[in-house]
Structure formats: C-alpha cells, structure tokens
Amino acid sequence: MAGDQYASAMADIAQVFMFEQWLRHNYLVEKDGKLFVEIPEADLAEIHGRHEGLGGLADMLNREEISYEKCQDTVCTFVGARFDGSKYGPEVIARTLDSKAFKIEMYVFGVWLKGHESYLDAERLPFADWLEMYDGWKSLDQVKEYRRKLEAGGGDPNAPPSSSVH
C-alpha cells in the first residue's frame, strides 16, 4: 500500500511540475530585461475550469516576475500546501521529491520537452494535450528501454558523479 501512496504522490507532484513548465512555455514574456508570466484572463478562467487543482499555481505565478529559483520555490510551496499532510502523510512528499524515480520522471519529461520544442512552439496547446502527447511518447519501446536503463543504474540524471577511483 505504501508503494501505491508514493506512486500516486509522484504522479500528482510530477503533474504540478509539468504544469508549471507548460505555463512558462506558453505565457512567459520579457519586459525590460525581466521575465514574467502573463496569463490573459480568458485563459486563466479556462485553466481554472479545466484544471481545478492547478489553477492556484497559475494564480501564484501570474503577473509575477520569475526566475528559476522563484518558480522552484513557488512549485514546492504549492505542492506542500496542496499535498503534504492533507492528501499524503508525513514525509511522503519529501521522500517522493528526493526519490530516484521522481528525478528520472522529471529528467525524461525534460528530454521529451526538448525533443518536441519546435512542435510545441508552433501553437499553444492545452495542458491536457501536452500530457497526452507525453504519455504517448513514454509508451514508445525505445523510451521504455531508455527509462529502464536509467532505473537500473544507467545513471541517475541528478546524482553527483561517482567519486570512486577507476
């Protein structure tokens, strides 16, 4: 049962991280050398209608100057407030965020994002379309094999290099 709780937490948290990427990809603007997320009111209403649980994150980032650190802090605050202690028990969120499985999921999502960037840039796609495309891509045999290699120790994408002497 505990494994199911961690798998569910990982899926929930990964969706929040992916949603934040989607927001930045679609609504990032530059003003006077600074970056902002600017979501038009009609789009914000649609986000709240389609992604009830994620609309709060859009609100937190909308019209704010952002940086990598600000986004990371905002996403972690959102995840903590939304899941830690309410949906999941103590330590589940922290352990999930620190897990190799979560790091691999985010790494693989990053690979998908980079590989599909030109397509994603061509038109603004709804977040649900991103998730559907990503799930379809993850089901490809070569992606499954790549993921298996990462999970089997073919390199945790976020682990420090080995300090062993060769």
Side-chain angles (χ1 to χ4, degrees):
M1 188 62 152
D4 291 342
Q5 184 177 20
Y6 285 99
S8 179
M10 187 174 89
D12 284 344
I13 296 167
Q15 185 178 50
V16 171
F17 276 72
M18 291 173 192
F19 182 73
E20 182 268 339
Q21 287 280 333
W22 176 79
L23 286 173
R24 284 192 294 122
H25 186 86
N26 287 297
Y27 299 104
L28 194 65
V29 296
E30 185 179 342
K31 291 182 179 178
D32 299 323
K34 297 177 182 178
L35 298 175
F36 293 84
V37 172
E38 289 195 359
I39 308 168
E41 291 304 318
D43 290 9
L44 193 58
E46 186 175 331
I47 288 168
H48 277 279
R50 288 186 180 200
H51 308 288
E52 181 180 320
L54 297 170
L57 181 59
D59 292 336
M60 291 171 75
L61 292 169
N62 194 26
R63 304 206 188 319
E64 294 290 323
E65 180 182 352
I66 64 162
S67 64
Y68 173 78
E69 294 79 15
K70 164 98 176 174
C71 287
Q72 188 176 25
D73 289 346
T74 302
V75 167
C76 289
T77 297
F78 182 81
V79 165
R82 184 154 183 241
F83 301 127
D84 198 17
S86 56
K87 185 170 183 178
Y88 299 103
E91 300 298 317
V92 172
I93 298 304
R95 289 181 65 191
T96 301
L97 287 168
D98 288 338
S99 71
K100 181 177 181 180
F102 180 74
K103 291 174 184 175
I104 289 172
E105 180 66 22
M106 291 295 87
Y107 177 78
V108 170
F109 179 72
V111 170
W112 172 80
L113 195 57
K114 285 181 183 174
H116 293 82
E117 195 168 18
S118 61
Y119 179 77
L120 299 172
D121 285 345
E123 67 177 295
R124 183 177 291 161
L125 298 171
F127 181 58
D129 288 5
W130 270 41
L131 294 178
E132 186 178 325
M133 289 170 52
Y134 177 57
D135 285 342
W137 180 79
K138 284 192 317 182
S139 71
L140 297 173
D141 288 340
Q142 68 189 75
V143 176
K144 288 179 185 178
E145 180 61 27
Y146 180 62
R147 186 179 202 112
R148 275 192 291 275
K149 287 178 183 176
L150 291 171
E151 290 167 352
D156 181 340
N158 297 309
S162 172
S163 60
S164 61
V165 177
H166 297 282

Short mmCIF file of all heavy atoms in Angstrom, two decimals, residues 13-26 39 47-48 51 53-59 61 75 78 109 127 130-131:
data_model
loop_
_atom_site.label_atom_id
_atom_site.label_comp_id
_atom_site.label_asym_id
_atom_site.label_seq_id
_atom_site.Cartn_x
_atom_site.Cartn_y
_atom_site.Cartn_z
N ILE A 13 2.69 15.11 -8.02
CA ILE A 13 3.75 16.13 -7.98
C ILE A 13 4.31 16.37 -9.38
O ILE A 13 4.53 17.52 -9.78
CB ILE A 13 4.87 15.72 -7.00
CG1 ILE A 13 4.32 15.65 -5.57
CG2 ILE A 13 6.04 16.69 -7.07
CD1 ILE A 13 5.27 14.96 -4.59
N ALA A 14 4.52 15.31 -10.12
CA ALA A 14 5.04 15.46 -11.49
C ALA A 14 4.08 16.30 -12.33
O ALA A 14 4.52 17.16 -13.10
CB ALA A 14 5.26 14.09 -12.13
N GLN A 15 2.79 16.10 -12.15
CA GLN A 15 1.82 16.88 -12.91
C GLN A 15 1.95 18.37 -12.58
O GLN A 15 1.87 19.22 -13.47
CB GLN A 15 0.40 16.40 -12.65
CG GLN A 15 -0.61 17.13 -13.51
CD GLN A 15 -2.01 16.64 -13.29
OE1 GLN A 15 -2.48 16.55 -12.17
NE2 GLN A 15 -2.69 16.32 -14.39
N VAL A 16 2.18 18.70 -11.31
CA VAL A 16 2.36 20.10 -10.93
C VAL A 16 3.61 20.68 -11.60
O VAL A 16 3.57 21.78 -12.16
CB VAL A 16 2.44 20.26 -9.40
CG1 VAL A 16 2.83 21.68 -9.00
CG2 VAL A 16 1.11 19.87 -8.74
N PHE A 17 4.71 19.95 -11.57
CA PHE A 17 5.95 20.41 -12.20
C PHE A 17 5.76 20.58 -13.71
O PHE A 17 6.25 21.55 -14.30
CB PHE A 17 7.10 19.45 -11.91
CG PHE A 17 7.78 19.68 -10.59
CD1 PHE A 17 7.15 19.37 -9.40
CD2 PHE A 17 9.06 20.21 -10.54
CE1 PHE A 17 7.78 19.58 -8.18
CE2 PHE A 17 9.70 20.42 -9.33
CZ PHE A 17 9.06 20.11 -8.14
N MET A 18 5.07 19.64 -14.33
CA MET A 18 4.82 19.72 -15.77
C MET A 18 3.92 20.91 -16.09
O MET A 18 4.13 21.59 -17.09
CB MET A 18 4.19 18.42 -16.26
CG MET A 18 5.12 17.24 -16.22
SD MET A 18 4.21 15.73 -16.64
CE MET A 18 5.41 14.49 -16.18
N PHE A 19 2.93 21.15 -15.26
CA PHE A 19 2.02 22.27 -15.46
C PHE A 19 2.77 23.60 -15.38
O PHE A 19 2.55 24.50 -16.19
CB PHE A 19 0.89 22.22 -14.42
CG PHE A 19 -0.13 23.30 -14.58
CD1 PHE A 19 -1.05 23.26 -15.62
CD2 PHE A 19 -0.19 24.35 -13.69
CE1 PHE A 19 -2.00 24.26 -15.77
CE2 PHE A 19 -1.13 25.36 -13.82
CZ PHE A 19 -2.05 25.31 -14.86
N GLU A 20 3.68 23.69 -14.43
CA GLU A 20 4.48 24.92 -14.32
C GLU A 20 5.31 25.12 -15.58
O GLU A 20 5.42 26.24 -16.09
CB GLU A 20 5.37 24.84 -13.07
CG GLU A 20 6.20 26.08 -12.83
CD GLU A 20 7.58 26.02 -13.46
OE1 GLU A 20 8.06 24.90 -13.75
OE2 GLU A 20 8.17 27.10 -13.66
N GLN A 21 5.87 24.05 -16.13
CA GLN A 21 6.62 24.14 -17.39
C GLN A 21 5.71 24.60 -18.52
O GLN A 21 6.10 25.43 -19.34
CB GLN A 21 7.24 22.78 -17.75
CG GLN A 21 8.40 22.38 -16.90
CD GLN A 21 9.67 23.08 -17.34
OE1 GLN A 21 9.84 23.45 -18.49
NE2 GLN A 21 10.57 23.26 -16.40
N TRP A 22 4.51 24.06 -18.56
CA TRP A 22 3.53 24.44 -19.58
C TRP A 22 3.19 25.93 -19.47
O TRP A 22 3.13 26.63 -20.48
CB TRP A 22 2.29 23.57 -19.45
CG TRP A 22 1.19 23.94 -20.39
CD1 TRP A 22 1.09 23.61 -21.71
CD2 TRP A 22 0.03 24.72 -20.09
NE1 TRP A 22 -0.07 24.14 -22.24
CE2 TRP A 22 -0.74 24.82 -21.26
CE3 TRP A 22 -0.44 25.33 -18.93
CZ2 TRP A 22 -1.94 25.51 -21.32
CZ3 TRP A 22 -1.64 26.03 -18.98
CH2 TRP A 22 -2.37 26.11 -20.17
N LEU A 23 2.97 26.39 -18.24
CA LEU A 23 2.67 27.81 -18.03
C LEU A 23 3.81 28.68 -18.56
O LEU A 23 3.57 29.65 -19.31
CB LEU A 23 2.45 28.11 -16.55
CG LEU A 23 1.16 27.64 -15.94
CD1 LEU A 23 1.18 27.87 -14.43
CD2 LEU A 23 -0.05 28.34 -16.56
N ARG A 24 5.04 28.35 -18.17
CA ARG A 24 6.18 29.16 -18.62
C ARG A 24 6.35 29.09 -20.13
O ARG A 24 6.66 30.08 -20.77
CB ARG A 24 7.47 28.74 -17.91
CG ARG A 24 7.53 29.25 -16.50
CD ARG A 24 8.90 29.10 -15.86
NE ARG A 24 9.28 27.72 -15.66
CZ ARG A 24 10.37 27.17 -16.17
NH1 ARG A 24 11.22 27.86 -16.90
NH2 ARG A 24 10.65 25.91 -15.94
N HIS A 25 6.16 27.92 -20.69
CA HIS A 25 6.32 27.76 -22.13
C HIS A 25 5.33 28.63 -22.90
O HIS A 25 5.67 29.19 -23.95
CB HIS A 25 6.14 26.29 -22.52
CG HIS A 25 6.44 26.02 -23.96
ND1 HIS A 25 7.70 25.75 -24.41
CD2 HIS A 25 5.64 26.01 -25.05
CE1 HIS A 25 7.68 25.57 -25.72
NE2 HIS A 25 6.44 25.72 -26.13
N ASN A 26 4.13 28.73 -22.39
CA ASN A 26 3.06 29.42 -23.13
C ASN A 26 2.84 30.87 -22.74
O ASN A 26 2.32 31.64 -23.56
CB ASN A 26 1.74 28.66 -22.95
CG ASN A 26 1.73 27.38 -23.74
OD1 ASN A 26 1.81 27.39 -24.95
ND2 ASN A 26 1.68 26.26 -23.03
N ILE A 39 -0.81 35.59 -17.98
CA ILE A 39 -1.89 34.75 -18.48
C ILE A 39 -3.12 35.64 -18.69
O ILE A 39 -3.61 36.24 -17.74
CB ILE A 39 -2.21 33.62 -17.47
CG1 ILE A 39 -0.94 32.85 -17.09
CG2 ILE A 39 -3.27 32.70 -18.06
CD1 ILE A 39 -1.11 31.92 -15.91
N ILE A 47 -8.18 27.73 -17.57
CA ILE A 47 -7.30 26.89 -16.76
C ILE A 47 -8.02 26.46 -15.49
O ILE A 47 -8.00 25.28 -15.12
CB ILE A 47 -5.99 27.65 -16.42
CG1 ILE A 47 -5.11 27.75 -17.67
CG2 ILE A 47 -5.24 26.97 -15.27
CD1 ILE A 47 -3.94 28.72 -17.53
N HIS A 48 -8.68 27.39 -14.83
CA HIS A 48 -9.42 27.04 -13.60
C HIS A 48 -10.55 26.06 -13.89
O HIS A 48 -10.82 25.17 -13.10
CB HIS A 48 -9.96 28.31 -12.93
CG HIS A 48 -8.95 28.99 -12.07
ND1 HIS A 48 -8.66 28.59 -10.79
CD2 HIS A 48 -8.15 30.05 -12.32
CE1 HIS A 48 -7.73 29.37 -10.28
NE2 HIS A 48 -7.39 30.27 -11.19
N HIS A 51 -8.58 22.62 -15.09
CA HIS A 51 -7.58 22.06 -14.17
C HIS A 51 -7.77 22.67 -12.79
O HIS A 51 -6.92 23.40 -12.29
CB HIS A 51 -6.17 22.35 -14.70
CG HIS A 51 -5.96 21.94 -16.11
ND1 HIS A 51 -5.85 20.63 -16.49
CD2 HIS A 51 -5.87 22.67 -17.25
CE1 HIS A 51 -5.70 20.57 -17.80
NE2 HIS A 51 -5.71 21.79 -18.28
N GLY A 53 -7.53 21.83 -9.75
CA GLY A 53 -6.50 21.73 -8.73
C GLY A 53 -5.22 22.48 -9.06
O GLY A 53 -4.41 22.73 -8.18
N LEU A 54 -5.02 22.84 -10.32
CA LEU A 54 -3.79 23.51 -10.73
C LEU A 54 -3.96 25.01 -10.94
O LEU A 54 -2.98 25.73 -11.07
CB LEU A 54 -3.25 22.87 -12.02
CG LEU A 54 -2.86 21.40 -11.89
CD1 LEU A 54 -2.57 20.81 -13.27
CD2 LEU A 54 -1.67 21.24 -10.98
N GLY A 55 -5.18 25.47 -10.97
CA GLY A 55 -5.44 26.89 -11.18
C GLY A 55 -4.76 27.77 -10.15
O GLY A 55 -4.30 28.87 -10.48
N GLY A 56 -4.65 27.28 -8.93
CA GLY A 56 -3.99 28.06 -7.88
C GLY A 56 -2.53 28.34 -8.21
O GLY A 56 -2.01 29.42 -7.88
N LEU A 57 -1.87 27.41 -8.84
CA LEU A 57 -0.48 27.62 -9.24
C LEU A 57 -0.40 28.70 -10.32
O LEU A 57 0.49 29.56 -10.27
CB LEU A 57 0.17 26.32 -9.72
CG LEU A 57 1.64 26.42 -10.14
CD1 LEU A 57 2.51 26.92 -8.98
CD2 LEU A 57 2.14 25.08 -10.64
N ALA A 58 -1.33 28.66 -11.25
CA ALA A 58 -1.37 29.71 -12.28
C ALA A 58 -1.57 31.07 -11.62
O ALA A 58 -0.90 32.05 -12.00
CB ALA A 58 -2.48 29.41 -13.28
N ASP A 59 -2.43 31.13 -10.62
CA ASP A 59 -2.66 32.39 -9.90
C ASP A 59 -1.39 32.87 -9.20
O ASP A 59 -1.09 34.07 -9.19
CB ASP A 59 -3.77 32.23 -8.85
CG ASP A 59 -5.14 32.02 -9.46
OD1 ASP A 59 -5.36 32.41 -10.63
OD2 ASP A 59 -6.01 31.44 -8.76
N LEU A 61 1.70 32.39 -10.02
CA LEU A 61 2.75 32.82 -10.95
C LEU A 61 2.32 33.99 -11.84
O LEU A 61 3.16 34.73 -12.34
CB LEU A 61 3.20 31.65 -11.82
CG LEU A 61 3.94 30.53 -11.10
CD1 LEU A 61 4.10 29.32 -12.02
CD2 LEU A 61 5.28 31.02 -10.60
N VAL A 75 6.54 26.36 -6.90
CA VAL A 75 6.05 25.00 -7.14
C VAL A 75 6.14 24.16 -5.86
O VAL A 75 5.19 23.47 -5.49
CB VAL A 75 6.80 24.32 -8.31
CG1 VAL A 75 6.52 22.83 -8.36
CG2 VAL A 75 6.43 24.97 -9.62
N PHE A 78 3.50 25.28 -3.46
CA PHE A 78 2.20 24.80 -3.92
C PHE A 78 2.03 23.32 -3.62
O PHE A 78 1.00 22.89 -3.10
CB PHE A 78 2.06 25.07 -5.42
CG PHE A 78 0.74 24.67 -5.99
CD1 PHE A 78 -0.37 25.50 -5.86
CD2 PHE A 78 0.60 23.47 -6.68
CE1 PHE A 78 -1.59 25.13 -6.40
CE2 PHE A 78 -0.62 23.10 -7.21
CZ PHE A 78 -1.72 23.92 -7.07
N PHE A 109 10.82 13.78 -18.75
CA PHE A 109 9.93 14.84 -19.23
C PHE A 109 10.75 15.95 -19.90
O PHE A 109 10.37 16.47 -20.95
CB PHE A 109 9.08 15.42 -18.09
CG PHE A 109 8.18 16.53 -18.53
CD1 PHE A 109 7.06 16.27 -19.31
CD2 PHE A 109 8.45 17.84 -18.18
CE1 PHE A 109 6.22 17.30 -19.73
CE2 PHE A 109 7.63 18.88 -18.59
CZ PHE A 109 6.51 18.62 -19.37
N PHE A 127 -2.90 22.12 -21.85
CA PHE A 127 -2.08 21.27 -20.99
C PHE A 127 -2.45 19.80 -21.15
O PHE A 127 -1.58 18.94 -21.17
CB PHE A 127 -2.21 21.72 -19.54
CG PHE A 127 -1.38 20.92 -18.58
CD1 PHE A 127 -0.01 20.82 -18.72
CD2 PHE A 127 -1.98 20.26 -17.51
CE1 PHE A 127 0.76 20.09 -17.84
CE2 PHE A 127 -1.22 19.51 -16.62
CZ PHE A 127 0.15 19.43 -16.77
N TRP A 130 -0.57 18.32 -23.89
CA TRP A 130 0.82 18.04 -23.51
C TRP A 130 0.89 16.69 -22.80
O TRP A 130 1.75 15.86 -23.12
CB TRP A 130 1.35 19.12 -22.57
CG TRP A 130 2.00 20.29 -23.21
CD1 TRP A 130 1.60 20.97 -24.33
CD2 TRP A 130 3.17 20.97 -22.74
NE1 TRP A 130 2.45 22.01 -24.58
CE2 TRP A 130 3.42 22.04 -23.62
CE3 TRP A 130 4.02 20.77 -21.66
CZ2 TRP A 130 4.48 22.90 -23.45
CZ3 TRP A 130 5.09 21.63 -21.50
CH2 TRP A 130 5.31 22.68 -22.38
N LEU A 131 0.02 16.49 -21.83
CA LEU A 131 0.04 15.25 -21.05
C LEU A 131 -0.23 14.04 -21.95
O LEU A 131 0.43 13.01 -21.82
CB LEU A 131 -0.97 15.30 -19.91
CG LEU A 131 -0.71 16.32 -18.82
CD1 LEU A 131 -1.82 16.28 -17.78
CD2 LEU A 131 0.64 16.09 -18.16
#
